[in-house]
Amino acid sequence: LGGKDVISGSVKDFPQSERKLLAAQGIQSILVVPIFTSQGWYGFLGFDDCVEGVHGADPSVQFLKQPPT
């Protein structure tokens, strides 16, 4: 990672190389949000959903996708 883009979606839509690792852990969808400080990229915050999946229109997901200011 290290980019400015949020990564989200259903594991079934990910590339096979990533899908195999995530599915083996029971993960159905994932949301990864980059974290920035005044000095630049710091790390990321990741959410895995093992029940029903992340919904991109969910207000909490939309909030997390806001670009850094």
Side-chain angles (χ1 to χ4, degrees):
L1 285 174
K4 294 185 179 184
D5 294 329
V6 170
I7 299 169
S8 67
S10 176
V11 169
K12 66 181 171 113
D13 298 328
F14 278 50
Q16 177 63 29
S17 59
E18 296 172 18
R19 186 172 50 227
K20 185 176 180 180
L21 175 67
L22 296 169
Q25 299 175 62
I27 299 169
Q28 292 190 22
S29 65
I30 193 166
L31 171 67
V32 179
V33 181
I35 300 171
F36 294 89
T37 69
S38 58
Q39 282 112 12
W41 183 72
Y42 180 79
F44 63 88
L45 181 62
F47 301 91
D48 301 335
D49 190 329
C50 299
V51 178
E52 55 183 85
V54 173
H55 302 286
D58 183 294
S60 59
V61 173
Q62 291 304 313
F63 173 77
L64 292 169
K65 287 184 171 183
Q66 295 300 311
T69 56

